[in-house]
Structure formats: structure tokens, C-alpha cells
Amino acid sequence: MYYNSDNGFPQDPWSDPIETTGRPVGEGGEPPRRKKKKSGLRLAALCLACALVGGIAGGAGVAAATGAFSADRTTLLEGTRPATVVEVSNVTGRELLTAPEIYATFVGSTVGITTEIVTTNGWGQPVSQAAAGSGFVITSDGYILTNYHVIEDADSIQVSFVDGSTYDAELVGGESENDIAVLKIEATGLTPVIIGDSDNVEVGEQVVAIGNPLGELTYSMTSGIVSAKDRSITMENGEVMNMIQTDTAINSGNSGGPLFDMYGQVIGITTAKLSSSSSSSATIEGLGFAIPINDIKDMVTDIMENGYVTGKAYMGITVSTVPESVSERYGMSQGALVEIVDENSCAAKAGLEKGDIITAIDGETVISSAELVEAKKAYKAGDTVTLTVERDGEMLELTLTFDEDTPERRAAQEEAQAQLEEEQQSQQSEQGTEGYFWPFGGFSPWFY
């Protein structure tokens, strides 16, 4: 490196050398002539210096503006966004809505449902239990639709709205096989939902749900898509139901709430979520189910007008499934075992007896009580069918004409079923828990 002794700055290494004493050297004591530096290099250096100074000055200006030179202050950068105003929409079924618009329009139509169930414990003392679910307003004068399992066995029902208002509700009627119930509150001027067409929904279409997950996170909205249509789902009670499958989050407390398409119309009732079995530790997510609204429209109207679904086929029997092990052990047919026969029913008129095993209906094989109920759904009151029955090892064919399923008939059958369960519990305590007895122990009875 070359240094200029006069100022201590580096000298251009491409210029003539200068003695460190500062005196020039050369022939005759004359100072040597310096070669002229290229003006281009000087200009480049000047530009670089200006750029550095400008950069430092600019950086200092930004730092001063943001407070970066302040030793005792940390500044967060904040953005600005205009406030979003979401207005209630006019649902025409022709225009797509945003999720916020659907929520603003119909959160006031969604209700939380709280029920109280009073039972008697082993010491004869009343015990009160609470359950929670969701529902939605279907008429301006206070009719509300929900799941039957939300209000089943309830001694009292209360509904609440997002504005904080609460009402005592009465059960107008319900239909357990299709898991629907209609409630009524004394209110007018309510905003009902718009009923859509679930047959027009396509797989992959976006949907949203409003409900009360866990009974605590009230009026929550979740979103997803339609994952599948026409799913046959077996419920906990053995009922087989047609469902819309969705990955929209559905949890305990969401049952009975509305599932909307993006036109703001209700296309289903959120009902169930598939969960892992006790034998599996796997977590199952994104498998929710909703009852297609088209499947229950007429039933809802029936319940509102008559208090029950009219025209349903009723047999007047209580049945259970013959276990496969018992079938093999005793050489019996698999099918629906008749436990109770209502003496005033069409089953008694057709000649069905306690202990009969129904193995087919109109030639369609039946190997369980669940299959019998599925087959029966295809018929209405007044229809005539042929039952294939095994009795004492012989196969018979009986002709049966269905009665109409009315609340009075069902109440009588429920009473008979309760009596049967008491008798079987007493019999089980006498015989012990080992083995099967007649009627078979450990069954889940169905009445028709």
C-alpha cells in the first residue's frame, strides 16, 4: 500500500512514487511530472461517495421517522383497513352470498336449545340432567326445527336467541326414525330461514353451519364443503339414515342446527359426527353429517298440522336381532325376533306371535331388527305385505296390512316395551349374566 506522508491517506498505487520525507526525487532535483489521472476514475469515485452519503442520509431520515434511533422505544408497524359493514341480505336463491352475509342474515334465526331431564336414582331420589343442542326458526310465529335426539325424554325445553331473549318451548311432535322434532314458542315477528333444495347440492360445493358447539360456544359459524351425498349412515341406535357428508366442523351441541348453501338457503340439519371407536386411538376429523332437507320437508309440515307424521306404517310389534352365535347354537334362522305383539294391532290380526322370527318381507331377506325397520320405511299405512316367518322350526308366510303409526299406538307400545325390559332385568338377575335366555339377553328392542 502506498501512503502520502503529507496527509496519511493512501496514494494512488498507479501514480509515481514519492519519497517518504515529502521531497520529490528526480533528475536535476526537479520534481517529476505526475501523470494525469484518468478523469473517469475520479468521476466514479465521486459518484460512489455521493451514493454513500445519500444512502446514509436516507437511512438516517427513515430511522428518524420511525424512531429507530430512540433507545427507549420499540415501535410496531400498524396497517390501516377500512371498517367492513355487513348488511342483512335479501335471499333470492339466485345470488351467491358471502359467509359474513349469511351469518348476519340468519344468526338471529338460529337458537340454542337447553333441556332438563329428570330421572330417579337407585335410592328413589329425582336427579336432574341438562342437555344442549341447536335449532332454527322455520316460521315467523315461533315454530322451530331441531333433531329429535336433542329433546328426547326432556321434561322441559328452553330456547335462546343471539339477542339474549329466552322462551319456554313446547314439543309439537317428533319423528325418531328420521331424527326430527318441531318445537313451538310464544313469539311473533321472528325471522325464519329460507328452505332450499338439497337435491341440487353438488359435491365440492361450499356450505356453512351455525350452531352452539359444546353448548357453550354459542352462535358459532363453521364452513366447509359437501364431501358426499346420499350416504347411508348407521346411527348409535341402529337406525340407518340418508345423509349429506360434509367436512364442516360439527361437534356436540351443533345437533339440530342449519346447514346453509352459499345462496343462504338451508339444505340440511346438522346431526352427527363420526368419531373413533373405543378400540382405536385414531382421531377422526372432517366427517360430519346432515339430514337432507328434502327428505323431511313433508314430515315437518305433517308434524306442524297434526302433531305427528301421518301415513307411517305401523306393525304393532317389538323385535330384537337373533344373535349369530345363538342362531348357530340352536339351529335357528337369523332375523328379527318378535318380543311383543300388540293385541289390537295388524300384527296380531296377521297371526304373528311372540317368539316368531321374521326372515323376509315381500321376499326381501331380513337378518336383523335394523334391516326390518329399513324395509318397513318403503311402505305406508294401508299397504299389504307378505312376511316370511320361522316358528318352531317351520317356515310360514303371513299376510299383513299395515296400521297407521299414531302417538297413541306408539305410547302403548313404549309402555309394553318398558314392562318387557323390567321383566328381562329381573330374569337376568335370577339366571346370572352368563349365556342367553329366552327372550335373548343384551338386545336392543325396536317397536314398529
Side-chain angles (χ1 to χ4, degrees), residues 174-178 299 302 308-315 376-377 379-382 402-406 409-410:
E175 214 281 312
S176 61
E177 290 180 10
N178 289 281
M299 298 181 192
D302 246 0
Y308 67 99
V309 178
T310 61
K312 282 184 59 181
Y314 179 78
M315 295 178 69
K376 185 178 69 70
K377 286 181 180 179
Y379 302 96
K380 295 182 179 180
F402 289 108
D403 291 328
E404 183 180 41
D405 190 352
T406 64
R409 283 179 170 146
R410 187 156 289 258

Side-chain angles (χ1 to χ4, degrees), residues 138-139 141 143-144 172-173 182-184 297-309:
I138 54 176
T139 68
D141 59 346
Y143 283 95
I144 293 170
V172 178
V182 177
L183 310 178
K184 181 70 169 64
K297 282 181 183 179
D298 294 340
M299 298 181 192
V300 172
T301 301
D302 246 0
I303 293 173
M304 291 169 62
E305 295 177 352
N306 303 292
Y308 67 99
V309 178

Side-chain angles (χ1 to χ4, degrees), residues 324-372:
E324 184 177 358
S325 58
V326 173
S327 173
E328 294 176 353
R329 181 175 180 180
Y330 295 103
M332 303 163 56
S333 298
Q334 280 189 271
L337 172 68
V338 178
E339 305 277 7
I340 298 174
V341 179
D342 180 355
E343 295 180 355
N344 299 314
S345 69
C346 60
K349 295 176 183 176
L352 274 172
E353 298 178 1
K354 178 179 178 179
D356 287 348
I357 300 174
I358 300 174
T359 61
I361 178 170
D362 273 347
E364 182 179 346
T365 301
V366 171
I367 63 171
S368 67
S369 56
E371 288 193 2
L372 178 62

Side-chain angles (χ1 to χ4, degrees), residues 172-369:
V172 178
E175 214 281 312
S176 61
E177 290 180 10
N178 289 281
D179 201 14
I180 58 171
V182 177
L183 310 178
K184 181 70 169 64
I185 62 174
E186 293 301 322
T188 57
L190 302 177
T191 301
V193 300
I194 306 299
I195 303 299
D197 184 350
S198 56
D199 290 342
N200 286 340
V201 177
E202 300 295 337
V203 174
E205 184 176 328
Q206 186 177 357
V207 289
V208 296
I210 302 176
N212 303 284
L214 309 182
E216 298 176 357
L217 304 175
T218 54
Y219 311 107
S220 296
M221 170 177 272
T222 55
S223 67
I225 63 169
V226 174
S227 304
K229 296 174 61 177
D230 299 322
R231 288 290 197 202
S232 293
I233 303 299
T234 302
M235 310 300 287
E236 285 183 342
N237 62 0
E239 291 280 3
V240 179
M241 299 184 64
N242 176 51
M243 292 283 193
I244 296 172
Q245 181 185 329
T246 176
D247 65 354
T248 304
I250 297 174
N251 292 285
S252 175
N254 277 109
S255 291
L259 183 69
F260 295 92
D261 63 16
M262 299 312 293
Y263 291 91
Q265 300 177 334
V266 174
I267 48 91
I269 306 173
T270 57
T271 299
K273 177 184 179 181
L274 185 64
S275 60
S276 59
S277 65
S278 58
S279 61
S280 172
S281 60
T283 299
I284 297 175
E285 298 293 343
L287 289 178
F289 299 94
I291 302 171
I293 202 70
N294 284 17
D295 288 2
I296 50 89
K297 282 181 183 179
D298 294 340
M299 298 181 192
V300 172
T301 301
D302 246 0
I303 293 173
M304 291 169 62
E305 295 177 352
N306 303 292
Y308 67 99
V309 178
T310 61
K312 282 184 59 181
Y314 179 78
M315 295 178 69
I317 58 176
T318 298
V319 297
S320 64
T321 299
V322 177
E324 184 177 358
S325 58
V326 173
S327 173
E328 294 176 353
R329 181 175 180 180
Y330 295 103
M332 303 163 56
S333 298
Q334 280 189 271
L337 172 68
V338 178
E339 305 277 7
I340 298 174
V341 179
D342 180 355
E343 295 180 355
N344 299 314
S345 69
C346 60
K349 295 176 183 176
L352 274 172
E353 298 178 1
K354 178 179 178 179
D356 287 348
I357 300 174
I358 300 174
T359 61
I361 178 170
D362 273 347
E364 182 179 346
T365 301
V366 171
I367 63 171
S368 67
S369 56

Side-chain angles (χ1 to χ4, degrees), residues 382-446:
D383 289 347
T384 299
V385 296
T386 299
L387 300 178
T388 303
V389 175
E390 179 183 320
R391 179 185 300 168
D392 298 330
E394 296 183 7
M395 303 304 294
L396 307 174
E397 287 194 350
L398 304 177
T399 301
L400 179 145
T401 301
F402 289 108
D403 291 328
E404 183 180 41
D405 190 352
T406 64
E408 293 77 18
R409 283 179 170 146
R410 187 156 289 258
Q413 197 70 5
E414 288 176 352
E415 184 178 350
Q417 178 184 334
Q419 183 178 354
L420 173 65
E421 290 174 353
E422 289 181 5
E423 293 175 356
Q424 292 195 337
Q425 288 175 0
S426 175
Q427 184 179 359
Q428 188 171 12
S429 63
E430 293 175 0
Q431 298 185 3
T433 58
E434 297 295 329
Y436 290 95
F437 50 89
W438 188 272
F440 305 123
F443 72 96
S444 297
W446 299 72

